[in-house]
Amino acid sequence: MEESDTKHDCGEHVSPDNCGQPMHQLMSELFPICRSITGNGVRETLRILQRHVPITVFEVPTGTKVYDWTIPKEWNIRNAFILDRDGNKIVDFNTNNLHVVGYSIPTDKIVSLAELQKHLYSVEDQPDAIPYVTSYYEERWGFCLSHNQRSKLEEGPYRVVIDSDLKEGFLSYGEMLLPGESRKEIFLSTYICHPSMANNELSGPVVTAFLATWIASKPRKYSFRIVFIPETIGSITYLSRNLDDMRKNIVAGFNVTCVGDERAFSYLPSRKGSTLADKAALNILTSLHPEFIQYTFLERGSDERQYCSPGVDLPVVSVMRSKYREYPQYHTSSDDLSFVTSSGLQGGFEVLRDCIELIEKNTIYRVTCLGEPQLGRRRLYPFIGTRDTHRYVSDMMNLLAHADGNNDLIDISNIIRVPVRRLYPLVENLVAAGLLEEVS
Amino acid sequence: MEESDTKHDCGEHVSPDNCGQPMHQLMSELFPICRSITGNGVRETLRILQRHVPITVFEVPTGTKVYDWTIPKEWNIRNAFILDRDGNKIVDFNTNNLHVVGYSIPTDKIVSLAELQKHLYSVEDQPDAIPYVTSYYEERWGFCLSHNQRSKLEEGPYRVVIDSDLKEGFLSYGEMLLPGESRKEIFLSTYICHPSMANNELSGPVVTAFLATWIASKPRKYSFRIVFIPETIGSITYLSRNLDDMRKNIVAGFNVTCVGDERAFSYLPSRKGSTLADKAALNILTSLHPEFIQYTFLERGSDERQYCSPGVDLPVVSVMRSKYREYPQYHTSSDDLSFVTSSGLQGGFEVLRDCIELIEKNTIYRVTCLGEPQLGRRRLYPFIGTRDTHRYVSDMMNLLAHADGNNDLIDISNIIRVPVRRLYPLVENLVAAGLLEEVS
Amino acid sequence: MEESDTKHDCGEHVSPDNCGQPMHQLMSELFPICRSITGNGVRETLRILQRHVPITVFEVPTGTKVYDWTIPKEWNIRNAFILDRDGNKIVDFNTNNLHVVGYSIPTDKIVSLAELQKHLYSVEDQPDAIPYVTSYYEERWGFCLSHNQRSKLEEGPYRVVIDSDLKEGFLSYGEMLLPGESRKEIFLSTYICHPSMANNELSGPVVTAFLATWIASKPRKYSFRIVFIPETIGSITYLSRNLDDMRKNIVAGFNVTCVGDERAFSYLPSRKGSTLADKAALNILTSLHPEFIQYTFLERGSDERQYCSPGVDLPVVSVMRSKYREYPQYHTSSDDLSFVTSSGLQGGFEVLRDCIELIEKNTIYRVTCLGEPQLGRRRLYPFIGTRDTHRYVSDMMNLLAHADGNNDLIDISNIIRVPVRRLYPLVENLVAAGLLEEVS
């Protein structure tokens, strides 16, 4: 069963240079929803995103074989709490949805403290934080709470109530296809399967939605394939239905995750390490964020695990801010709306926008004359000689010297050590002057 | 003329993890024999080795052309000494066979001290050691002695006696062929041409004999070609009779020399530097002996000089402990049964055994599903989560992620930085589970 | 119009190991001439060089299209000065031809100090030096003077006189072709377009002329194409008339510039960076001048800009002493006959001679036997064993070990870390002994 739903509001006018605040606002709206790899939380998240971008929603039934996996039962939860012997609600799903282990089966029983402890999860060295725990493929129930709270629990009995369903249903995901001049595609993938966490969940779909709006607003060389999916089982499901097209068309892809805090920029390569996505990401990060952290594929942990698996081999990298597993707030209640900021989101948006822009503009050029062109008679550079115009002329001569019909723009930027942003207007002027031509 | 002699005792049961002591015992038995590039010392050495491994002995006549060389006359020696004017035997071949310059012609004459000095060899900066000197291709006679002894010599006359033969005969060498599933071969070469020295002579044939026993005791993918030969003239002779087969079949080879002391591990590459033998040696040394010394082909000095010569170009490396020429005892009487130890020999044996095992097991694998397999439902990892099981799962996922039908096991070990020993059982489990398959 | 003029004196006998003094003398003779990119200064320079080497002079008319450029009007100057209000000649072309901006149009007028300042050029941080300024493609007039003098100028009026012509004429350049056994060519290019400056002008043509004499005196494998041209417009002109032959025949080329002072040796690669010229230059510099400065193609600034431009792509490098733009005297009156010395020129000559000799001798060799040859019976090495003979034998064995029919002599020198000068006699001996053969 597939349902298409395309109400959205693409008419909004947000400057791509200043969209941190509206991104943070969208994130705040999505934050309270209890998402998991299936269920109504995913659907509601997609519905809110559809107000911004024209996402088509797909529903794949429980039991469907997807490569080595099977779509699990659908999980939904309405309420959950723990009552102490005085009837006080000491743990409450309604105050923080991280309190319940994801995919907990329905429960309503009286237990001793000893019995309860077997179902509790906390983190000793982060005593104030509620950890995030799931059990998708083994049926159990449990609660997460701060270590401080846990250590103060007195003897029971306790009543534990989890009002959830785990039954035949669907896995939901969203897809958006934006046709361009070419059928070749740039691919963006982000995940929507974690409950209330900000950097390692909502920064991804929010930045992706705003990238989609920006992409949709301009003429495009490449087509774009943009997906909002549950991690792992969702990407495997998506691949199992689209791999042939993806392998034929995708020239570069980005797994959009952890793009919202204000700390590092970081990069996780594709398995092969030298795809167009890698080239673009390394060029942008090296020139704009030279302090970025370069991870190896051994440190992977998101959907590049599927996209770069043998036989799939898509050119997908991750360009992130603080990488999952590498910051203390990761997978706890501290990864919240204050940890991710407007300015952090803006930075995450921009670095991905710059990578996409670079891939869109990346072309092999060839200079049209032998020997250096005589720039003087063409007035291709400003009249007043300053340090800036000197740099301008030097950039232009270096660009021309390496536009040999083999180097693409990324190669030239790397060789002549000039950020691509400074090359774009030069290329435009030189093409207009007939001195550069595209090599097809 | 070729004589085949195959008495041996392959039935002995020595643990490959604990064979240092029997190797040292065999070395002690071979130590007193006066070997040279031809003669009965070589034959007696081969005869003793035949009690352990089924070596076929070949005899090649004096005068035979072997590439740019000619098999020299055969040299045998029975006795040699110097008598002082009082008739005291001040230098005696029977106390140490290094006292006679190898290939000394027969001599019996009375000489002055001045005349005698022209025929003496000692090493000033190692005053207690007797040096090792030969003169294979220029007929002369001489004695070697410690510098201390030499400096105390009084005026003569002296009587010098060398009871040797230098006449038409044979060059002897041993060969052992162990067929495997494939006609492709792993090649081991070691030399038997030095008199009483331990690291730079006997550690080689002893470790090679025990490797041969271990190889013979197990099923094999590859066939093995194992030779015990005089250095240089022996390897040239062997090549001149076997090159076509060797070039067609050998996938990797090891020149076994200097594998008995307790100091460094070291590696001398093939001339091309990137053969399967190089890959295997570098993988094993890097993971198990990361402090190993990496020499260049410029520092070669044993039979890789022939095996890697232009037009021969076999994939042969040396994995050693203290390399010839790089330790003070080299080519003196100090390279003796105390310098080489049981534990030193065990280490030399093991590093070569590990290289051979790796080449035997090295295969290109391909994962059988697209996307990551769902390990959970297969119970491929232990139930109790510990630091070790975490490493186990991580190794398994990294192995699967790189089993793409192009990487062989050595490549994967290098990429994921996991010693091959930890990969072998994983590979076995994953093949059994149908998740990995060999690429032919 | 082309005029051929071949009076020269190639019979002179100057030792290539000791030609610094005569090179300095020729430079002194050329120094006073006022050269520019066109005009009689270029012609007079070529005429003096023709007394040493058989240069053919070509004259290309104003207005000729050369690729993206057009040959400009010819400029000649007879006199120029500034008179103060007392009639004193305070700036005089006859004392230093750098005083006039190159290509200044004819002028004779009375100007105020304020008006004069607009036409003056000086360098504040080198207050004693007269800078070098030109305006080839924009018609104006101007004077250059020391900053010290300029800052003392009093109120005018001043009379400025420039007795020059700027009219239809020719661009002049010189060419010399020396046929060798092969039609394949080595290319030398140097420029003759600056007035009185020594390192960044005359060291080039002077060293090139002496190289030409040395080349002409010996049998040659390669043909030589040697040009004396105005920089930029001259190399573009030459390319536009000869590119097809040059691309077909040139195997390596050197832009000869800044080869006369006593400081650094330096190297500017070809655009591709790995041509035969690069290989030869790097081998010679690394072994003989290991402290040399290695620039990148981004730091180019002479005729390699044309020779390495896309579509031209000639294998041309620069091997220099102090590179243009990298020494304080550059483009000022301080780049004079004392800055460039006999010994500096000798060093510049020798490094280029060594590169040329290497390219001439560079060949792929193959050893003629399998296994190591038996050098002993051939007496290929000296009888007395010394440190030198040990090195000799070691060099010989290493050379033979890598003469595999793939490595050329430069590769072997690099691999075995032996300067090519030490390999030349070895190669000769081994070829004579039949142990090495050339691979065609």
Side-chain angles (χ1 to χ4, degrees):
Chain A
M1 182 198 102
E2 304 193 354
E3 117 192 14
S4 179
D5 188 347
T6 53
K7 47 188 152 86
H8 62 281
D9 170 17
C10 242
E12 64 194 314
H13 289 294
V14 172
S15 157
D17 295 324
N18 191 17
C19 55
Q21 207 279 326
M23 284 194 285
H24 200 276
Q25 190 176 322
L26 174 58
M27 186 178 69
S28 306
E29 188 178 357
L30 296 166
F31 192 79
I33 301 169
C34 183
R35 281 164 295 273
S36 185
I37 53 173
T38 61
N40 293 324
V42 181
R43 289 190 192 94
E44 190 180 344
T45 300
L46 289 167
R47 214 169 294 127
I48 292 172
L49 291 169
Q50 282 173 326
R51 298 209 303 263
H52 296 263
V53 280
I55 294 168
T56 302
V57 175
F58 293 82
E59 301 273 354
V60 187
T62 297
T64 306
K65 296 280 174 203
V66 288
Y67 293 148
D68 195 51
W69 301 62
T70 304
I71 303 287
K73 289 179 186 161
E74 180 176 328
W75 183 66
N76 283 293
I77 182 165
R78 284 162 297 275
N79 200 0
F81 51 82
I82 303 176
L83 298 182
D84 67 11
R85 65 177 143 189
D86 301 324
N88 298 316
K89 207 175 267 187
I90 59 166
V91 168
D92 185 354
F93 171 77
N94 289 310
T95 60
N96 193 322
N97 56 31
L98 289 173
H99 275 312
V100 177
V101 167
Y103 261 64
S104 278
I105 54 179
T107 306
D108 185 349
K109 57 173 81 167
I110 309 295
V111 294
S112 67
L113 176 58
E115 177 65 17
L116 179 63
Q117 288 287 11
K118 296 182 196 158
H119 297 268
L120 296 185
Y121 301 86
S122 65
V123 184
E124 194 160 356
D125 59 6
Q126 294 198 55
D128 290 324
I130 307 165
Y132 167 57
V133 179
T134 65
S135 182
Y136 302 135
Y137 299 99
E138 192 168 322
E139 295 199 355
R140 49 181 168 170
W141 63 266
F143 285 88
C144 303
L145 72 173
S146 77
H147 205 73
N148 281 341
Q149 184 178 15
R150 185 179 186 176
S151 54
K152 286 182 206 132
L153 290 180
E154 296 176 3
E155 280 310 306
Y158 290 93
R159 182 176 170 209
V160 291
V161 173
I162 298 178
D163 177 14
S164 66
D165 292 329
L166 186 59
K167 48 193 188 189
E168 304 289 307
F170 299 90
L171 176 143
S172 318
Y173 70 82
E175 181 196 63
M176 183 176 160
L177 299 174
L178 290 170
E181 284 169 40
S182 162
R183 301 191 59 168
K184 294 287 174 187
E185 296 175 354
I186 295 176
F187 175 54
L188 302 181
S189 174
T190 192
Y191 50 81
I192 43 168
C193 57
H194 297 71
S196 298
M197 285 179 293
N199 196 42
N200 186 50
E201 170 77 1
L202 292 171
S203 69
V206 162
V207 163
T208 303
F210 275 69
L211 286 170
T213 302
W214 167 74
I215 292 160
S217 71
K218 312 195 349 165
R220 291 174 293 285
K221 179 158 90 182
Y222 290 110
S223 298
F224 282 73
R225 178 187 296 264
I226 303 174
V227 300
F228 301 79
I229 55 176
E231 214 177 6
T232 305
I233 184 68
S235 52
I236 288 171
T237 300
Y238 190 80
L239 284 170
S240 73
R241 307 170 119 216
N242 297 282
L243 182 60
D244 284 353
D245 280 353
M246 294 170 82
R247 292 191 54 165
K248 194 165 63 197
N249 293 327
I250 292 173
V251 298
F254 298 88
N255 183 52
V256 185
T257 169
C258 292
V259 286
D261 71 314
E262 295 191 5
R263 288 184 291 196
F265 284 93
S266 53
Y267 158 68
L268 191 120
S270 73
R271 188 166 67 88
K272 303 209 163 165
S274 57
T275 69
L276 178 56
D278 294 276
K279 272 182 75 171
L282 282 169
N283 178 279
I284 292 296
L285 287 165
T286 302
S287 68
L288 299 186
H289 306 288
E291 75 297 348
F292 79 99
I293 302 170
Q294 185 158 353
Y295 292 99
T296 74
F297 194 68
L298 293 178
E299 292 152 301
R300 71 197 178 281
S302 182
D303 281 328
E304 72 287 334
R305 288 161 50 191
Q306 316 312 326
Y307 298 136
C308 298
S309 63
V312 175
D313 290 319
L314 295 172
V316 173
V317 305
S318 302
V319 176
M320 300 162 280
R321 304 217 56 157
S322 290
K323 176 180 171 289
Y324 46 85
R325 289 201 299 249
E326 305 290 337
Y327 59 99
Q329 295 84 348
Y330 171 72
H331 269 197
T332 75
S333 56
S334 307
D335 186 350
D336 63 13
L337 292 172
S338 69
F339 179 64
V340 167
T341 65
S342 294
S343 121
L345 288 165
Q346 178 69 29
F349 173 87
E350 285 185 6
V351 72
L352 283 160
R353 180 197 63 184
D354 290 348
C355 291
I356 292 166
E357 183 185 34
L358 174 50
I359 295 168
E360 281 275 304
K361 288 184 186 278
N362 190 45
T363 304
I364 297 176
Y365 290 102
R366 183 166 42 207
V367 64
T368 56
C369 69
L370 291 166
E372 287 182 341
Q374 194 189 7
L375 295 181
R377 66 175 167 88
R378 288 200 174 74
R379 303 287 167 196
L380 270 168
Y381 43 84
F383 289 96
I384 314 295
T386 65
R387 185 177 293 269
D388 275 358
T389 58
H390 178 264
R391 195 179 75 172
Y392 184 93
V393 174
S394 154
D395 288 355
M396 188 153 49
M397 296 311 287
N398 282 330
L399 168 58
L400 288 166
H402 292 89
D404 60 0
N406 290 308
N407 295 318
D408 65 19
L409 209 56
I410 301 175
D411 296 327
I412 293 177
S413 164
N414 293 341
I415 294 169
I416 74 176
R417 302 172 204 163
V418 174
V420 286
R421 288 242 149 189
R422 252 161 65 196
L423 295 182
Y424 298 153
L426 291 175
V427 167
E428 217 167 291
N429 291 347
L430 290 169
V431 168
L435 281 175
L436 274 190
E437 64 186 8
E438 282 195 31
V439 174
S440 58
Chain B
M1 181 196 106
E2 303 193 355
E3 117 190 16
S4 177
D5 188 346
T6 54
K7 48 190 152 82
H8 63 281
D9 171 18
C10 244
E12 63 193 314
H13 289 295
V14 172
S15 157
D17 295 324
N18 190 16
C19 55
Q21 205 281 328
M23 284 194 285
H24 199 276
Q25 191 176 321
L26 173 58
M27 186 178 70
S28 306
E29 188 179 357
L30 296 166
F31 192 78
I33 301 169
C34 184
R35 281 162 296 273
S36 185
I37 54 173
T38 62
N40 293 325
V42 181
R43 289 188 193 96
E44 192 181 343
T45 300
L46 288 168
R47 214 168 295 128
I48 292 172
L49 291 169
Q50 282 174 324
R51 297 206 304 264
H52 296 263
V53 280
I55 295 168
T56 303
V57 175
F58 293 82
E59 301 275 352
V60 187
T62 298
T64 306
K65 297 278 174 205
V66 287
Y67 293 148
D68 195 51
W69 301 62
T70 304
I71 303 287
K73 290 179 184 162
E74 179 177 328
W75 183 67
N76 283 294
I77 182 164
R78 283 163 298 275
N79 201 359
F81 52 83
I82 303 176
L83 298 182
D84 68 12
R85 65 176 145 189
D86 302 322
N88 298 315
K89 206 174 268 187
I90 58 166
V91 168
D92 184 354
F93 170 76
N94 290 309
T95 59
N96 193 322
N97 55 31
L98 289 172
H99 275 313
V100 177
V101 167
Y103 261 65
S104 279
I105 54 177
T107 306
D108 184 348
K109 59 174 80 169
I110 308 295
V111 294
S112 68
L113 176 59
E115 177 64 18
L116 179 62
Q117 288 285 12
K118 296 181 196 159
H119 296 268
L120 296 185
Y121 301 87
S122 64
V123 184
E124 195 160 355
D125 59 8
Q126 293 197 55
D128 291 323
I130 308 166
Y132 167 56
V133 179
T134 65
S135 183
Y136 302 135
Y137 298 101
E138 190 169 325
E139 296 199 354
R140 48 181 169 171
W141 63 267
F143 285 89
C144 302
L145 71 175
S146 77
H147 204 72
N148 280 340
Q149 183 179 14
R150 185 181 187 176
S151 55
K152 287 183 204 132
L153 290 181
E154 296 175 4
E155 281 309 305
Y158 289 93
R159 183 176 170 207
V160 292
V161 174
I162 298 178
D163 178 15
S164 66
D165 292 330
L166 187 58
K167 48 192 188 191
E168 304 289 307
F170 299 90
L171 176 142
S172 318
Y173 70 82
E175 180 196 61
M176 184 175 158
L177 299 174
L178 291 169
E181 284 168 40
S182 162
R183 298 191 60 168
K184 294 290 174 184
E185 296 175 355
I186 296 176
F187 175 53
L188 302 180
S189 174
T190 193
Y191 50 81
I192 43 168
C193 56
H194 295 73
S196 299
M197 284 179 294
N199 196 42
N200 186 48
E201 171 77 4
L202 293 171
S203 69
V206 162
V207 164
T208 304
F210 275 68
L211 286 170
T213 302
W214 167 74
I215 292 161
S217 72
K218 312 195 348 167
R220 291 174 292 285
K221 179 159 87 181
Y222 290 111
S223 298
F224 282 75
R225 178 186 296 265
I226 304 174
V227 301
F228 301 79
I229 54 175
E231 216 177 4
T232 304
I233 184 70
S235 52
I236 288 170
T237 300
Y238 190 80
L239 284 170
S240 74
R241 307 170 119 216
N242 297 282
L243 182 59
D244 285 352
D245 279 353
M246 294 169 82
R247 293 192 53 164
K248 194 165 63 198
N249 293 326
I250 291 173
V251 298
F254 298 88
N255 184 51
V256 185
T257 170
C258 293
V259 285
D261 72 312
E262 295 190 5
R263 287 185 292 196
F265 284 93
S266 53
Y267 158 69
L268 191 117
S270 72
R271 186 165 68 87
K272 305 209 162 165
S274 56
T275 69
L276 179 55
D278 293 275
K279 272 181 75 170
L282 283 169
N283 178 280
I284 291 296
L285 287 166
T286 302
S287 67
L288 298 186
H289 306 287
E291 75 298 348
F292 80 100
I293 302 169
Q294 185 159 353
Y295 292 99
T296 74
F297 194 66
L298 293 178
E299 292 154 300
R300 71 197 179 282
S302 183
D303 281 328
E304 72 288 335
R305 289 160 50 191
Q306 315 313 326
Y307 297 136
C308 298
S309 63
V312 174
D313 291 318
L314 294 172
V316 173
V317 305
S318 301
V319 176
M320 300 163 281
R321 303 215 59 156
S322 290
K323 176 181 171 288
Y324 46 84
R325 291 200 299 248
E326 304 290 337
Y327 59 97
Q329 295 84 348
Y330 171 71
H331 268 197
T332 75
S333 56
S334 307
D335 186 350
D336 63 13
L337 293 173
S338 69
F339 178 63
V340 167
T341 65
S342 293
S343 120
L345 289 165
Q346 178 70 27
F349 172 88
E350 285 184 8
V351 71
L352 284 159
R353 180 197 64 184
D354 290 347
C355 291
I356 292 167
E357 183 185 34
L358 174 50
I359 296 168
E360 281 273 305
K361 287 184 186 281
N362 190 45
T363 304
I364 297 176
Y365 289 102
R366 183 165 43 206
V367 66
T368 56
C369 69
L370 291 167
E372 288 183 338
Q374 193 189 7
L375 295 180
R377 66 175 165 89
R378 289 199 173 75
R379 304 285 167 197
L380 271 169
Y381 42 84
F383 289 95
I384 315 296
T386 65
R387 184 177 294 269
D388 276 358
T389 59
H390 178 264
R391 193 180 77 172
Y392 183 93
V393 173
S394 155
D395 288 355
M396 188 153 48
M397 297 311 287
N398 283 331
L399 168 58
L400 288 166
H402 293 89
D404 60 0
N406 289 309
N407 295 317
D408 64 19
L409 210 56
I410 300 175
D411 297 328
I412 294 177
S413 164
N414 293 340
I415 294 168
I416 74 175
R417 303 173 203 163
V418 174
V420 286
R421 287 240 150 191
R422 249 160 67 197
L423 295 182
Y424 298 152
L426 291 176
V427 167
E428 216 166 291
N429 291 347
L430 291 168
V431 168
L435 281 175
L436 275 190
E437 64 187 8
E438 282 196 30
V439 173
S440 59
Chain C
M1 181 198 105
E2 303 194 353
E3 115 192 16
S4 179
D5 188 348
T6 55
K7 51 189 150 83
H8 63 281
D9 170 19
C10 243
E12 64 193 315
H13 290 295
V14 170
S15 156
D17 294 325
N18 190 16
C19 55
Q21 206 280 327
M23 284 194 286
H24 200 275
Q25 191 176 318
L26 173 58
M27 187 178 69
S28 305
E29 188 178 358
L30 295 166
F31 191 78
I33 301 169
C34 183
R35 281 164 295 273
S36 185
I37 54 172
T38 61
N40 292 326
V42 181
R43 291 190 191 94
E44 190 180 344
T45 299
L46 288 167
R47 213 168 296 127
I48 292 172
L49 291 169
Q50 283 174 324
R51 296 208 305 264
H52 295 264
V53 281
I55 296 169
T56 302
V57 176
F58 293 81
E59 300 273 354
V60 187
T62 298
T64 306
K65 297 278 175 204
V66 289
Y67 294 148
D68 196 51
W69 300 63
T70 305
I71 303 286
K73 292 180 185 159
E74 180 176 327
W75 183 67
N76 282 294
I77 183 166
R78 283 162 298 276
N79 201 0
F81 52 82
I82 303 175
L83 299 183
D84 68 11
R85 64 175 144 191
D86 301 324
N88 298 315
K89 203 173 270 187
I90 57 165
V91 167
D92 184 355
F93 171 75
N94 289 311
T95 59
N96 193 323
N97 55 31
L98 290 173
H99 275 311
V100 177
V101 167
Y103 261 64
S104 277
I105 53 178
T107 306
D108 185 349
K109 58 171 82 164
I110 309 295
V111 294
S112 68
L113 176 58
E115 177 65 17
L116 179 63
Q117 289 286 13
K118 297 182 195 159
H119 297 267
L120 295 186
Y121 301 88
S122 64
V123 183
E124 192 160 357
D125 60 7
Q126 293 198 57
D128 291 325
I130 308 166
Y132 167 57
V133 178
T134 65
S135 183
Y136 302 134
Y137 299 100
E138 190 170 324
E139 296 200 354
R140 49 179 168 172
W141 62 267
F143 285 89
C144 303
L145 71 173
S146 76
H147 204 74
N148 280 341
Q149 184 178 14
R150 186 180 186 176
S151 55
K152 287 183 205 128
L153 290 181
E154 296 177 4
E155 281 309 309
Y158 289 92
R159 180 172 172 214
V160 292
V161 173
I162 298 179
D163 178 13
S164 66
D165 292 330
L166 185 59
K167 46 192 187 190
E168 304 289 308
F170 299 90
L171 175 142
S172 319
Y173 70 83
E175 181 196 62
M176 183 176 160
L177 299 174
L178 290 170
E181 284 169 40
S182 162
R183 301 191 60 168
K184 293 289 173 187
E185 297 175 354
I186 295 175
F187 175 54
L188 302 181
S189 174
T190 193
Y191 50 82
I192 42 169
C193 56
H194 296 72
S196 298
M197 286 180 291
N199 196 41
N200 186 48
E201 170 77 3
L202 292 171
S203 69
V206 162
V207 163
T208 304
F210 276 69
L211 285 170
T213 302
W214 168 73
I215 293 161
S217 72
K218 312 195 350 167
R220 291 175 292 285
K221 179 160 90 183
Y222 289 111
S223 299
F224 281 74
R225 177 186 297 266
I226 304 174
V227 300
F228 301 79
I229 54 177
E231 216 175 6
T232 305
I233 184 69
S235 51
I236 288 171
T237 301
Y238 189 81
L239 284 170
S240 73
R241 307 168 121 218
N242 296 281
L243 182 60
D244 284 353
D245 279 354
M246 293 169 83
R247 292 191 54 164
K248 194 166 61 197
N249 293 327
I250 291 173
V251 298
F254 298 89
N255 184 50
V256 185
T257 170
C258 292
V259 285
D261 72 312
E262 295 192 4
R263 287 185 291 196
F265 284 92
S266 53
Y267 159 69
L268 191 119
S270 73
R271 187 165 67 87
K272 304 211 163 164
S274 57
T275 69
L276 178 55
D278 293 277
K279 272 181 75 171
L282 282 170
N283 178 280
I284 292 295
L285 287 165
T286 302
S287 66
L288 300 185
H289 306 287
E291 75 297 349
F292 79 100
I293 302 169
Q294 186 157 352
Y295 293 99
T296 74
F297 194 68
L298 293 178
E299 292 152 301
R300 70 196 180 283
S302 182
D303 281 328
E304 72 288 337
R305 288 161 50 192
Q306 316 311 327
Y307 297 136
C308 299
S309 63
V312 174
D313 289 319
L314 294 173
V316 173
V317 304
S318 301
V319 176
M320 299 162 281
R321 304 215 60 155
S322 289
K323 176 180 171 290
Y324 46 85
R325 289 200 299 248
E326 304 291 337
Y327 59 98
Q329 295 84 349
Y330 171 71
H331 268 199
T332 76
S333 57
S334 306
D335 185 351
D336 63 12
L337 292 173
S338 68
F339 178 64
V340 167
T341 65
S342 295
S343 121
L345 289 165
Q346 177 70 28
F349 172 88
E350 285 184 8
V351 72
L352 284 159
R353 180 197 63 185
D354 291 347
C355 291
I356 292 167
E357 183 186 33
L358 174 50
I359 296 167
E360 281 274 306
K361 287 183 188 281
N362 190 46
T363 305
I364 297 176
Y365 290 102
R366 184 165 42 206
V367 66
T368 56
C369 70
L370 291 167
E372 288 183 339
Q374 194 190 6
L375 295 180
R377 65 176 167 86
R378 288 197 173 76
R379 303 286 167 196
L380 270 169
Y381 43 85
F383 289 97
I384 313 296
T386 65
R387 184 178 296 267
D388 275 358
T389 58
H390 178 263
R391 195 180 74 173
Y392 184 93
V393 173
S394 155
D395 288 355
M396 187 152 49
M397 297 310 287
N398 282 331
L399 167 58
L400 288 167
H402 293 89
D404 61 0
N406 289 308
N407 295 317
D408 65 19
L409 209 57
I410 300 175
D411 296 327
I412 293 177
S413 164
N414 293 341
I415 294 169
I416 75 175
R417 304 172 201 162
V418 173
V420 286
R421 287 241 150 188
R422 249 160 68 196
L423 295 182
Y424 298 153
L426 291 176
V427 166
E428 216 168 292
N429 291 347
L430 291 169
V431 169
L435 282 175
L436 274 190
E437 64 186 8
E438 281 194 32
V439 174
S440 58

